Amino acid sequence: MSLKFCSFASGSSGNSYLIKNDDTAILIDAGISGKRILQGLEETRTPRDAVSALLVTHEHIDHVKSLPVLTKRIPGLEIFANEATWEAIERPVPEETKKMFITGEPFAVGSLRIRPFPVPHDAAEPVGFSVNGDGSKVSLVTDAGYITEEIIEEILDADLLLLEANHEREMLLMGHYPYPLKQRILSDEGHLSNLSAGECLCRIVERNRKKRQILLGHLSGENNDPHVALLTVENTLMEREIYTGGDLQVKVASRDERSRVYVV
């Protein structure tokens, strides 16, 4: 068996991801339409009744939009969030589908072992996730104002890492967003820039030079561009004499289109 990962969408307008092996499938976030998520399951040959759980990073609408639809369309679906996030979610979700985790404490869904870890963001109790199975590890870090040492320790050994590269700083500063919104995005509870993503990768590669796949995600449609994000991250790595290709594969997850299925 092996872990498989697919991004159905990754951007400031909506996020949803699939992780599965031969006997367990889970979704992380549901910030796009239920129709698109169900289509993503069909395209990845994932039967609806094979999806055991949906994990929620935080309560913002671009991560929870279609929770009500999915509880009706996926039989037996359980939705996992921490207590503070459940209290902040305003979408109607049947009580019997609600499950609770404690941030920092691992739990299992089928054959997958999951660890939710804290990230700094302006939400009730936002988390990233690491998913372990079949000897492989997938980690997701988005909606983070900055990278803490705890995050570094968590993602250091990830075989596939989805890492936020939300904005190019100069594009944001020169753009049309109102000043308070710009300050929010740039704050320690905002979003990672392309440069911050590159610096994060430098930190983990310098401490653990292993084979890994990186997907840059949660790109802004207003303040970023996939080519700019990739160029900034690659230049940041090259300044530290770290080169992409070979053991370090860096790609960009599309805001609006399903990625290929990555085998980890």
Side-chain angles (χ1 to χ4, degrees):
M1 293 194 296
S2 57
L3 274 185
K4 297 180 177 67
F5 174 87
C6 182
S7 170
F8 292 164
S10 185
S12 52
S13 58
N15 304 270
S16 188
Y17 313 98
L18 169 70
I19 301 176
K20 66 177 182 175
N21 60 14
D22 288 346
D23 58 31
T24 304
I26 62 172
L27 293 166
I28 296 181
D29 287 339
I32 56 176
S33 71
K35 179 180 179 180
R36 288 179 62 193
I37 292 174
L38 295 174
Q39 180 181 350
L41 293 177
E42 183 177 348
E43 291 174 349
T44 57
R45 299 180 180 179
T46 309
R48 295 185 193 183
D49 59 6
V51 181
S52 305
L54 192 157
L55 316 181
V56 179
T57 58
H58 65 293
E59 72 275 11
H60 291 166
I61 194 66
D62 58 323
H63 297 263
V64 301
K65 176 181 178 179
S66 63
L67 292 185
V69 172
L70 295 179
T71 57
K72 296 175 182 176
R73 302 293 297 277
I74 299 179
L77 182 68
E78 295 181 329
I79 302 178
F80 288 78
N82 56 42
E83 183 176 7
T85 298
W86 273 127
E87 291 177 354
I89 290 175
E90 297 179 350
R91 309 295 282 175
V93 178
E95 286 298 321
E96 64 270 18
T97 68
K98 294 183 179 180
K99 301 296 178 181
M100 201 93 68
F101 63 73
I102 297 174
T103 302
E105 294 190 5
F107 62 98
V109 174
S111 61
L112 302 180
R113 184 175 178 273
I114 297 149
R115 184 177 185 272
F117 54 91
V119 297
H121 189 55
D122 57 353
E125 192 179 328
V127 299
F129 289 108
S130 286
V131 180
N132 289 270
D134 307 307
S136 299
K137 179 176 179 178
V138 174
S139 296
L140 292 90
V141 180
T142 67
D143 298 81
Y146 69 101
I147 297 296
T148 65
E149 183 58 29
E150 181 176 356
I151 292 174
I152 292 292
E153 291 293 336
E154 178 61 41
I155 66 178
L156 200 58
D157 59 346
D159 300 290
L160 185 147
L161 170 65
L162 182 107
L163 178 65
E164 180 174 49
N166 175 257
H167 59 276
E168 182 72 12
R169 182 180 175 87
E170 294 307 315
M171 290 177 67
L172 173 64
L173 292 173
M174 297 297 290
H176 64 79
Y177 277 13
Y179 181 75
L181 180 54
K182 292 179 182 180
Q183 292 302 108
R184 170 189 170 267
I185 293 170
L186 293 169
S187 75
D188 282 351
E189 293 188 335
H191 292 276
L192 291 178
S193 68
N194 296 334
L195 178 60
S196 297
E199 291 173 342
C200 172
L201 293 180
C202 289
R203 290 168 68 184
I204 64 173
V205 171
E206 288 173 345
R207 289 176 58 178
N208 183 7
R209 290 185 178 267
K210 61 169 285 180
K211 186 175 183 178
R212 48 168 61 90
Q213 300 179 79
I214 309 296
L215 279 177
L216 304 177
H218 208 290
L219 271 67
S220 167
E222 297 286 337
N223 305 304
N224 211 348
D225 174 271
H227 300 291
V228 172
L230 191 59
L231 184 62
T232 299
V233 168
E234 288 181 338
N235 285 343
T236 304
L237 290 164
M238 284 190 289
E239 287 174 2
R240 304 275 276 272
E241 297 187 351
I242 300 169
Y243 300 95
T244 57
D247 286 346
L248 181 63
Q249 300 287 335
V250 182
K251 306 290 184 183
V252 178
S254 172
R255 288 170 41 81
D256 303 310
E257 298 178 0
R258 179 180 63 82
S259 74
R260 69 177 177 88
V261 176
Y262 291 83
V263 179
V264 185

mmCIF file of all heavy atoms in Angstrom, residues 89-113:
data_model
loop_
_atom_site.group_PDB
_atom_site.id
_atom_site.type_symbol
_atom_site.label_atom_id
_atom_site.label_comp_id
_atom_site.label_asym_id
_atom_site.label_seq_id
_atom_site.Cartn_x
_atom_site.Cartn_y
_atom_site.Cartn_z
ATOM 1 N N ILE A 89 -17.826 27.386 13.981
ATOM 2 C CA ILE A 89 -18.404 27.033 12.679
ATOM 3 C C ILE A 89 -19.881 27.409 12.657
ATOM 4 O O ILE A 89 -20.658 26.997 13.533
ATOM 5 C CB ILE A 89 -18.225 25.528 12.382
ATOM 6 C CG1 ILE A 89 -16.756 25.216 12.103
ATOM 7 C CG2 ILE A 89 -19.080 25.105 11.182
ATOM 8 C CD1 ILE A 89 -16.460 23.735 11.911
ATOM 9 N N GLU A 90 -20.261 28.171 11.661
ATOM 10 C CA GLU A 90 -21.645 28.635 11.555
ATOM 11 C C GLU A 90 -22.465 27.826 10.563
ATOM 12 O O GLU A 90 -23.671 28.046 10.426
ATOM 13 C CB GLU A 90 -21.661 30.116 11.167
ATOM 14 C CG GLU A 90 -21.014 31.011 12.220
ATOM 15 C CD GLU A 90 -21.013 32.478 11.836
ATOM 16 O OE1 GLU A 90 -21.354 32.783 10.664
ATOM 17 O OE2 GLU A 90 -20.688 33.310 12.701
ATOM 18 N N ARG A 91 -21.858 26.898 9.852
ATOM 19 C CA ARG A 91 -22.594 26.058 8.916
ATOM 20 C C ARG A 91 -23.362 24.979 9.683
ATOM 21 O O ARG A 91 -22.843 24.405 10.649
ATOM 22 C CB ARG A 91 -21.646 25.387 7.926
ATOM 23 C CG ARG A 91 -20.680 26.317 7.234
ATOM 24 C CD ARG A 91 -21.381 27.313 6.344
ATOM 25 N NE ARG A 91 -21.796 26.710 5.075
ATOM 26 C CZ ARG A 91 -22.515 27.338 4.152
ATOM 27 N NH1 ARG A 91 -22.935 28.567 4.378
ATOM 28 N NH2 ARG A 91 -22.829 26.735 3.032
ATOM 29 N N PRO A 92 -24.609 24.693 9.301
ATOM 30 C CA PRO A 92 -25.385 23.669 10.011
ATOM 31 C C PRO A 92 -24.872 22.264 9.711
ATOM 32 O O PRO A 92 -24.850 21.824 8.559
ATOM 33 C CB PRO A 92 -26.802 23.868 9.461
ATOM 34 C CG PRO A 92 -26.607 24.482 8.110
ATOM 35 C CD PRO A 92 -25.374 25.326 8.205
ATOM 36 N N VAL A 93 -24.446 21.573 10.750
ATOM 37 C CA VAL A 93 -23.898 20.223 10.610
ATOM 38 C C VAL A 93 -24.639 19.315 11.594
ATOM 39 O O VAL A 93 -24.753 19.657 12.776
ATOM 40 C CB VAL A 93 -22.383 20.206 10.909
ATOM 41 C CG1 VAL A 93 -21.834 18.795 10.808
ATOM 42 C CG2 VAL A 93 -21.641 21.137 9.956
ATOM 43 N N PRO A 94 -25.148 18.176 11.159
ATOM 44 C CA PRO A 94 -25.850 17.264 12.069
ATOM 45 C C PRO A 94 -24.978 16.861 13.257
ATOM 46 O O PRO A 94 -23.797 16.544 13.082
ATOM 47 C CB PRO A 94 -26.183 16.051 11.188
ATOM 48 C CG PRO A 94 -26.167 16.576 9.786
ATOM 49 C CD PRO A 94 -25.128 17.660 9.769
ATOM 50 N N GLU A 95 -25.562 16.871 14.439
ATOM 51 C CA GLU A 95 -24.800 16.587 15.653
ATOM 52 C C GLU A 95 -24.140 15.215 15.606
ATOM 53 O O GLU A 95 -23.025 15.038 16.100
ATOM 54 C CB GLU A 95 -25.717 16.683 16.879
ATOM 55 C CG GLU A 95 -26.099 18.097 17.263
ATOM 56 C CD GLU A 95 -24.907 18.945 17.656
ATOM 57 O OE1 GLU A 95 -23.995 18.397 18.327
ATOM 58 O OE2 GLU A 95 -24.882 20.135 17.307
ATOM 59 N N GLU A 96 -24.817 14.240 15.001
ATOM 60 C CA GLU A 96 -24.274 12.880 15.007
ATOM 61 C C GLU A 96 -23.036 12.737 14.139
ATOM 62 O O GLU A 96 -22.310 11.742 14.250
ATOM 63 C CB GLU A 96 -25.337 11.874 14.557
ATOM 64 C CG GLU A 96 -25.813 12.040 13.122
ATOM 65 C CD GLU A 96 -27.009 12.976 12.983
ATOM 66 O OE1 GLU A 96 -27.259 13.764 13.923
ATOM 67 O OE2 GLU A 96 -27.679 12.909 11.942
ATOM 68 N N THR A 97 -22.765 13.720 13.284
ATOM 69 C CA THR A 97 -21.568 13.641 12.440
ATOM 70 C C THR A 97 -20.359 14.309 13.088
ATOM 71 O O THR A 97 -19.243 14.157 12.607
ATOM 72 C CB THR A 97 -21.805 14.313 11.073
ATOM 73 O OG1 THR A 97 -21.942 15.719 11.239
ATOM 74 C CG2 THR A 97 -23.047 13.748 10.402
ATOM 75 N N LYS A 98 -20.589 15.054 14.168
ATOM 76 C CA LYS A 98 -19.512 15.842 14.778
ATOM 77 C C LYS A 98 -18.611 14.978 15.648
ATOM 78 O O LYS A 98 -19.073 14.260 16.530
ATOM 79 C CB LYS A 98 -20.091 16.974 15.620
ATOM 80 C CG LYS A 98 -20.828 18.031 14.833
ATOM 81 C CD LYS A 98 -21.310 19.144 15.765
ATOM 82 C CE LYS A 98 -22.029 20.250 15.011
ATOM 83 N NZ LYS A 98 -22.491 21.322 15.920
ATOM 84 N N LYS A 99 -17.311 15.070 15.395
ATOM 85 C CA LYS A 99 -16.308 14.405 16.213
ATOM 86 C C LYS A 99 -15.278 15.441 16.672
ATOM 87 O O LYS A 99 -15.047 16.441 15.993
ATOM 88 C CB LYS A 99 -15.611 13.290 15.420
ATOM 89 C CG LYS A 99 -16.559 12.208 14.907
ATOM 90 C CD LYS A 99 -17.225 11.458 16.037
ATOM 91 C CE LYS A 99 -18.209 10.427 15.506
ATOM 92 N NZ LYS A 99 -18.900 9.695 16.589
ATOM 93 N N MET A 100 -14.673 15.181 17.797
ATOM 94 C CA MET A 100 -13.761 16.147 18.397
ATOM 95 C C MET A 100 -12.344 15.578 18.475
ATOM 96 O O MET A 100 -12.147 14.402 18.786
ATOM 97 C CB MET A 100 -14.230 16.484 19.810
ATOM 98 C CG MET A 100 -13.693 17.786 20.346
ATOM 99 S SD MET A 100 -14.837 19.149 20.019
ATOM 100 C CE MET A 100 -16.205 18.714 21.096
ATOM 101 N N PHE A 101 -11.365 16.423 18.195
ATOM 102 C CA PHE A 101 -9.983 16.073 18.498
ATOM 103 C C PHE A 101 -9.386 17.163 19.364
ATOM 104 O O PHE A 101 -9.923 18.274 19.465
ATOM 105 C CB PHE A 101 -9.148 15.848 17.231
ATOM 106 C CG PHE A 101 -9.002 17.054 16.331
ATOM 107 C CD1 PHE A 101 -8.186 18.134 16.683
ATOM 108 C CD2 PHE A 101 -9.660 17.108 15.113
ATOM 109 C CE1 PHE A 101 -8.046 19.232 15.850
ATOM 110 C CE2 PHE A 101 -9.523 18.201 14.269
ATOM 111 C CZ PHE A 101 -8.715 19.264 14.650
ATOM 112 N N ILE A 102 -8.289 16.846 20.005
ATOM 113 C CA ILE A 102 -7.553 17.814 20.819
ATOM 114 C C ILE A 102 -6.274 18.156 20.079
ATOM 115 O O ILE A 102 -5.501 17.265 19.700
ATOM 116 C CB ILE A 102 -7.232 17.248 22.217
ATOM 117 C CG1 ILE A 102 -8.543 16.959 22.968
ATOM 118 C CG2 ILE A 102 -6.357 18.211 23.011
ATOM 119 C CD1 ILE A 102 -8.348 16.257 24.302
ATOM 120 N N THR A 103 -6.054 19.433 19.838
ATOM 121 C CA THR A 103 -4.870 19.874 19.107
ATOM 122 C C THR A 103 -3.605 19.364 19.786
ATOM 123 O O THR A 103 -3.430 19.518 20.992
ATOM 124 C CB THR A 103 -4.838 21.405 19.016
ATOM 125 O OG1 THR A 103 -6.033 21.853 18.375
ATOM 126 C CG2 THR A 103 -3.629 21.887 18.232
ATOM 127 N N GLY A 104 -2.750 18.737 19.012
ATOM 128 C CA GLY A 104 -1.502 18.192 19.537
ATOM 129 C C GLY A 104 -1.563 16.728 19.887
ATOM 130 O O GLY A 104 -0.521 16.092 20.060
ATOM 131 N N GLU A 105 -2.796 16.166 19.958
ATOM 132 C CA GLU A 105 -2.937 14.758 20.319
ATOM 133 C C GLU A 105 -3.301 13.940 19.083
ATOM 134 O O GLU A 105 -4.322 14.193 18.448
ATOM 135 C CB GLU A 105 -3.996 14.581 21.403
ATOM 136 C CG GLU A 105 -3.611 15.213 22.729
ATOM 137 C CD GLU A 105 -4.559 14.830 23.862
ATOM 138 O OE1 GLU A 105 -5.462 13.982 23.628
ATOM 139 O OE2 GLU A 105 -4.392 15.383 24.962
ATOM 140 N N PRO A 106 -2.499 12.938 18.747
ATOM 141 C CA PRO A 106 -2.788 12.109 17.569
ATOM 142 C C PRO A 106 -4.077 11.311 17.736
ATOM 143 O O PRO A 106 -4.480 10.966 18.853
ATOM 144 C CB PRO A 106 -1.573 11.182 17.484
ATOM 145 C CG PRO A 106 -0.509 11.835 18.304
ATOM 146 C CD PRO A 106 -1.228 12.561 19.395
ATOM 147 N N PHE A 107 -4.712 11.003 16.619
ATOM 148 C CA PHE A 107 -5.859 10.123 16.618
ATOM 149 C C PHE A 107 -5.839 9.333 15.316
ATOM 150 O O PHE A 107 -5.078 9.657 14.394
ATOM 151 C CB PHE A 107 -7.175 10.895 16.788
ATOM 152 C CG PHE A 107 -7.479 11.880 15.684
ATOM 153 C CD1 PHE A 107 -8.326 11.551 14.635
ATOM 154 C CD2 PHE A 107 -6.926 13.165 15.699
ATOM 155 C CE1 PHE A 107 -8.611 12.453 13.626
ATOM 156 C CE2 PHE A 107 -7.218 14.084 14.694
ATOM 157 C CZ PHE A 107 -8.057 13.722 13.655
ATOM 158 N N ALA A 108 -6.672 8.314 15.245
ATOM 159 C CA ALA A 108 -6.674 7.433 14.081
ATOM 160 C C ALA A 108 -8.004 7.495 13.361
ATOM 161 O O ALA A 108 -9.065 7.618 13.979
ATOM 162 C CB ALA A 108 -6.367 5.997 14.496
ATOM 163 N N VAL A 109 -7.936 7.422 12.049
ATOM 164 C CA VAL A 109 -9.108 7.184 11.203
ATOM 165 C C VAL A 109 -8.753 6.000 10.322
ATOM 166 O O VAL A 109 -7.860 6.094 9.474
ATOM 167 C CB VAL A 109 -9.472 8.410 10.349
ATOM 168 C CG1 VAL A 109 -10.613 8.059 9.389
ATOM 169 C CG2 VAL A 109 -9.840 9.606 11.205
ATOM 170 N N GLY A 110 -9.393 4.879 10.551
ATOM 171 C CA GLY A 110 -9.024 3.669 9.838
ATOM 172 C C GLY A 110 -7.558 3.348 10.062
ATOM 173 O O GLY A 110 -7.075 3.326 11.198
ATOM 174 N N SER A 111 -6.827 3.141 8.983
ATOM 175 C CA SER A 111 -5.410 2.803 9.089
ATOM 176 C C SER A 111 -4.505 4.030 9.075
ATOM 177 O O SER A 111 -3.277 3.892 9.074
ATOM 178 C CB SER A 111 -5.008 1.866 7.948
ATOM 179 O OG SER A 111 -5.205 2.497 6.694
ATOM 180 N N LEU A 112 -5.096 5.231 9.049
ATOM 181 C CA LEU A 112 -4.309 6.462 9.014
ATOM 182 C C LEU A 112 -4.183 7.048 10.421
ATOM 183 O O LEU A 112 -5.152 7.107 11.183
ATOM 184 C CB LEU A 112 -4.972 7.496 8.092
ATOM 185 C CG LEU A 112 -5.179 7.066 6.641
ATOM 186 C CD1 LEU A 112 -5.853 8.177 5.843
ATOM 187 C CD2 LEU A 112 -3.851 6.668 5.993
ATOM 188 N N ARG A 113 -2.969 7.489 10.747
ATOM 189 C CA ARG A 113 -2.713 8.148 12.029
ATOM 190 C C ARG A 113 -2.541 9.640 11.761
ATOM 191 O O ARG A 113 -1.726 10.041 10.937
ATOM 192 C CB ARG A 113 -1.458 7.579 12.693
ATOM 193 C CG ARG A 113 -1.159 8.147 14.078
ATOM 194 C CD ARG A 113 0.044 7.420 14.681
ATOM 195 N NE ARG A 113 0.403 7.947 15.986
ATOM 196 C CZ ARG A 113 1.216 8.970 16.191
ATOM 197 N NH1 ARG A 113 1.761 9.599 15.139
ATOM 198 N NH2 ARG A 113 1.509 9.384 17.404
#
